[in-house]
């Protein structure tokens, strides 16, 4: 079956912009497509842009949460972007919880957030290098 | 000079003097003349013809070439509309295109005059109509759309500070839209068969269109279509097929009524669901509970084996 929602790779990000009224079938397919694409391509973040969606009901919310959790298990961050205020209010009033999915106001913010995750990881990497015993040897040699 | 001639130059002069607030007298006159000749009018026939919004728009467009001061332009616009007012209420010439009091335009002005003076109310109406590119005559056919409504509300806020009056006007505007909608009986009542999964999308789209035409705000439209989507999904998942009935609700408060009916197995753990202790396989277990939270009235009949009937009402 052909993909109805395009999954676009931009550098090391996957951009998914949903601009149609989505039925359950499409949501289900999207979930599988994203998981497959992450496995094949080398990405560090998934951005799901939902400004064109007509509504987010419990099934779609659940699917987005699932996508977030699937991606997390595969080591990729997911960000939900462009949520309409009316939809946000509806989600809150219905009492839906969206654990595991970070949100951002727009794609710029989303990219910044993903960059900051990347930096955090690099800092961790540097910390490990500092503790490398080779440094001490080098230090002694120099002095 | 014949008396008619004199009156004709009156209107022309009024237009010119309105313009001369922003530009020099000579420029004002030449702007007026060019606008008139563009519209196929002469200064002497101006009074017999109605000064229409198009002419005013044309004048304003020409004015912008000479004057960049937005404040002055808006002043001039108000002045020009006042001139139009004078022509409208001129006893000899009001008949041909003056909208009747019973028309939508007349009602609109009447509502606005609750908060403001009559002339101010009319000019707000006219500016709003101009900005939404609708003429008063078109209003009866086209109805009040959300763009026009927003324009009116915006300019009302600019002229009136009394919150109570503003909310009164808002309520009356809503009622006007409401009465307009009730005339169009075909969208009043709608039944959608839910047989396939894609019917859910159709149902929620229709619900949103109906909610919009009934005058619900954006957020409420989303709430209503979300609720319809939830009950639609319940029908597909648990009963296989059923139908959703959308209609206008008229009671103490106006609103929209949604009825979802199926001949499925019913719901046996209803109390558990409504208490929020239920998790479904596919969703968050929030379908029915979510609907209850989103709607103002909610009732469910779901005896095991006898099918399910959910009735919901959202007030305007």
């Amino acid at each position: 079956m052909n993909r109805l929602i395009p999954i676009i790779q931009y550098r090391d990000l996957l951009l998914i912009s949903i601009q149609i009224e989505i039925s359950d079938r499409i949501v289900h397919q999207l979930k599988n497509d994203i998981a497959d694409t992450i496995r094949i391509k080398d990405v560090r973040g998934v951005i799901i842009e939902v400004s064109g969606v007509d509504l987010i009901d419990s099934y779609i919310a659940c699917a987005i949460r699932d996508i977030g959790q699937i991606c997390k298990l595969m080591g990729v961050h997911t960000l939900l972007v462009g949520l309409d205020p009316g939809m946000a209010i509806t989600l809150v009033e219905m009492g839906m919880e969206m654990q595991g999915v970070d949100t951002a106001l727009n794609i710029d913010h989303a990219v910044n957030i993903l960059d900051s995750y990347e930096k955090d990881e690099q800092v961790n990497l540097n910390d490990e290098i500092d503790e490398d015993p080779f440094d001490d040897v080098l230090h002694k040699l120099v002095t | 000079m014949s008396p008619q001639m004199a009156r004709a130059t009156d209107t022309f002069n009024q237009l010119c003097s309105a313009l001369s607030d922003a530009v020099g007298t000579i420029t004002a006159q030449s702007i007026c003349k060019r606008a008139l000749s563009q519209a196929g009018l002469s200064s002497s026939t101006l009074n017999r013809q109605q000064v229409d919004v198009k002419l005013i728009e044309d004048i304003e467009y020409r004015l912008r070439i000479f004057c960049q001061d937005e404040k002055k332009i808006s002043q001039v616009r108000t002045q020009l509309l006042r001139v139009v007012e004078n022509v409208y209420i001129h006893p000899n010439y009001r008949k041909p295109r003056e909208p009747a009091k019973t028309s939508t335009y007349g009602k609109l002005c009447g509502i606005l005059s609750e908060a403001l003076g009559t002339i101010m109310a009319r000019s707000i109406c006219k500016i709003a109509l101009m900005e939404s590119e609708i003429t008063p005559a078109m209003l009866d056919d086209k109805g009040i759309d959300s763009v026009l409504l927003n324009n009116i509300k915006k300019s009302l806020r600019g002229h009136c500070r009394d919150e109570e009056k503003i909310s009164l006007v808002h309520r009356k505007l809503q009622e006007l839209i409401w009465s307009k909608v009730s005339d169009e009986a075909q969208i009043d009542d709608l039944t959608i068969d839910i047989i396939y999964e894609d019917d859910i999308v159709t149902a929620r789209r229709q619900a949103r269109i109906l909610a919009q035409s009934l005058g619900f705000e954006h957020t409420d439209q989303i709430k209503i279509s979300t609720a319809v989507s939830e009950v639609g999904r319940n029908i597909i998942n648990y009963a296989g097929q059923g139908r959703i009935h959308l209609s206008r609700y008229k009671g103490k408060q106006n609103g929209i009524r949604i009825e979802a009916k199926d001949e499925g197995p019913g719901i046996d753990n209803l109390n558990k669901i409504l208490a929020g202790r239920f998790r479904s396989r596919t969703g968050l277990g929030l379908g029915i509970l979510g609907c209850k939270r989103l709607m103002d009235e909610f009732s469910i009949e779901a005896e095991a084996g006898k099918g399910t009937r959910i009735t919901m009402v959202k007030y305007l």
Side-chain angles (χ1 to χ4, degrees):
Chain A
M1 194 189 280
N2 288 332
R3 257 183 208 161
L4 284 163
I5 298 172
I7 298 175
I8 301 158
Q9 186 177 12
Y10 174 71
R11 296 197 179 155
D12 48 1
L13 300 176
L14 284 187
L15 298 176
I16 298 124
S17 178
I18 308 173
Q19 300 290 335
I20 49 169
E21 291 171 327
I22 37 179
S23 71
D24 295 4
R25 189 168 44 83
I26 298 175
V27 175
H28 182 74
Q29 202 197 334
L30 180 69
K31 198 154 77 174
N32 294 337
D33 283 350
I34 290 177
D36 284 348
T37 315
I38 288 174
R39 197 179 48 135
I40 298 163
K41 306 222 162 132
D42 179 26
V43 290
R44 69 183 161 96
V46 176
I47 297 174
I48 304 173
E49 204 263 353
V50 291
S51 66
V53 179
D54 59 333
L55 62 86
I56 293 184
D57 60 12
S58 65
Y59 183 81
I60 298 172
C62 183
I64 291 173
R65 198 193 57 180
D66 286 353
I67 289 170
Q69 287 172 353
I70 291 165
C71 292
K72 204 168 191 179
L73 280 178
M74 297 172 86
V76 175
H77 295 290
T78 311
L79 279 158
L80 188 65
V81 167
L83 200 63
D84 176 279
M87 285 196 279
I89 292 169
T90 307
L91 285 175
V92 171
E93 280 191 19
M94 281 184 91
M96 284 187 222
E97 290 156 13
M98 304 274 284
Q99 305 103 327
V101 182
D102 287 330
T103 51
L105 197 59
N106 53 39
I107 291 189
D108 273 341
H109 284 284
V111 173
N112 285 342
I113 291 170
L114 286 171
D115 282 346
S116 72
Y117 286 147
E118 183 92 330
K119 264 178 208 152
D120 285 349
E121 277 159 22
Q122 273 176 2
V123 169
N124 288 340
L125 229 62
N126 287 340
D127 287 348
E128 281 163 28
I129 289 168
D130 282 344
E131 289 160 16
D132 199 329
F134 188 70
D135 271 8
D136 291 340
V137 180
L138 211 89
H139 190 70
K140 271 173 198 165
L141 275 175
V142 171
T143 52
Chain B
M1 198 188 277
S2 72
Q4 254 188 347
M5 195 62 187
R7 233 185 276 121
T9 42
D10 271 358
T11 313
F12 180 71
N13 281 342
Q14 278 172 16
L15 284 181
C16 290
S17 73
L19 277 178
S20 62
D21 283 353
V23 289
T25 329
I26 293 174
T27 321
Q29 277 189 0
S30 82
I31 287 175
C32 276
K33 267 185 199 150
R34 279 187 195 177
L36 282 174
S37 71
Q38 181 75 31
L41 297 166
S42 74
S43 58
S44 54
T45 52
L46 192 57
N47 237 1
R48 260 170 290 169
Q49 303 273 338
Q50 283 290 359
V51 179
D52 58 357
V53 176
K54 206 144 190 199
L55 179 69
I56 301 290
E57 267 177 8
D58 193 28
I59 290 177
E60 201 189 311
Y61 172 72
R62 280 162 203 278
L63 177 66
R64 267 174 209 281
I65 301 167
F66 295 99
C67 175
Q68 270 80 40
D69 191 344
E70 278 299 322
K71 217 172 170 185
K72 274 189 181 165
I73 289 175
S74 76
Q75 252 175 25
V76 168
R77 193 198 290 160
T78 330
Q79 285 278 341
L80 286 174
L81 286 169
R82 227 165 252 171
V83 174
V84 176
E85 274 328 307
N86 288 338
V87 177
Y88 266 125
I89 58 175
H90 197 286
N92 292 341
Y93 302 109
R94 65 180 305 177
K95 269 135 207 143
R97 264 198 274 171
E98 169 74 8
K101 272 241 168 78
T102 48
S103 71
T104 315
Y105 175 71
K107 281 181 193 162
L108 204 59
C109 292
I111 289 168
L112 281 175
S113 62
E114 302 254 347
L116 307 150
T118 325
I119 290 182
M120 209 60 217
R122 280 195 185 197
S123 71
I124 282 183
C125 272
K126 276 207 187 115
I127 293 171
L129 283 171
M130 223 161 86
E131 280 171 354
S132 339
E133 292 168 358
I134 300 173
T135 62
M138 275 160 68
L139 202 56
D140 273 331
D141 300 331
K142 221 179 160 194
I144 300 166
D145 61 358
S146 54
V147 179
L148 178 63
L149 190 67
N150 274 338
N151 281 340
I152 290 175
K153 282 182 179 174
K154 222 192 294 168
S155 50
L156 174 67
R157 228 160 245 290
H159 294 283
C160 177
R161 290 284 145 79
D162 191 339
E163 281 298 326
E164 258 177 44
K165 276 184 181 170
I166 289 176
S167 68
L168 176 76
V169 169
H170 281 195
R171 212 172 57 237
K172 290 212 165 178
L173 283 174
Q174 208 60 69
E175 274 167 20
L176 179 64
I177 293 169
W178 192 263
S179 67
K180 196 88 189 108
V181 167
S182 69
D183 296 341
E184 299 160 12
Q186 74 269 23
I187 56 152
D188 231 27
D189 213 294
L190 203 67
T191 305
I192 300 144
D193 290 322
I194 306 291
I195 300 164
Y196 305 107
E197 211 180 75
D198 288 350
D199 293 333
I200 301 173
V201 179
T202 314
R204 73 193 196 207
R205 190 192 303 137
Q206 292 294 349
R208 189 159 182 174
I209 292 168
L210 180 62
Q212 194 173 12
S213 68
L214 293 180
F216 279 97
E217 282 180 0
H218 178 71
T219 307
D220 284 339
Q221 288 170 24
I222 291 179
K223 283 181 192 170
I224 289 160
S225 53
T226 306
V228 169
S229 185
E230 298 292 355
V231 290
R233 181 163 300 108
N234 273 357
I235 290 174
I236 291 285
N237 283 353
Y238 299 108
Q241 64 179 55
R243 56 184 48 182
I244 293 178
H245 183 76
L246 304 169
S247 60
R248 189 179 154 213
Y249 177 78
K250 216 175 176 186
K252 268 182 226 161
Q253 271 175 289
N254 288 324
I256 189 170
R257 185 169 176 278
I258 300 155
E259 189 184 344
K261 220 171 142 185
D262 65 59
E263 271 101 48
I267 304 169
D268 48 4
N269 50 357
L270 191 61
N271 289 332
K272 202 175 159 191
I273 291 169
L274 289 175
R277 293 197 304 271
F278 175 75
R279 287 263 139 141
S280 70
R281 265 180 307 115
T282 49
L284 300 168
L286 280 169
I288 289 174
L289 188 61
C291 287
K292 198 182 170 199
R293 286 173 178 160
L294 288 176
M295 291 288 148
D296 294 321
E297 267 179 38
F298 181 90
S299 70
I300 179 164
E301 294 163 29
E303 239 176 281
K306 279 189 181 172
T308 312
R309 192 167 122 171
I310 300 174
T311 316
M312 305 182 283
V313 176
K314 179 91 185 160
Y315 298 133
L316 202 61

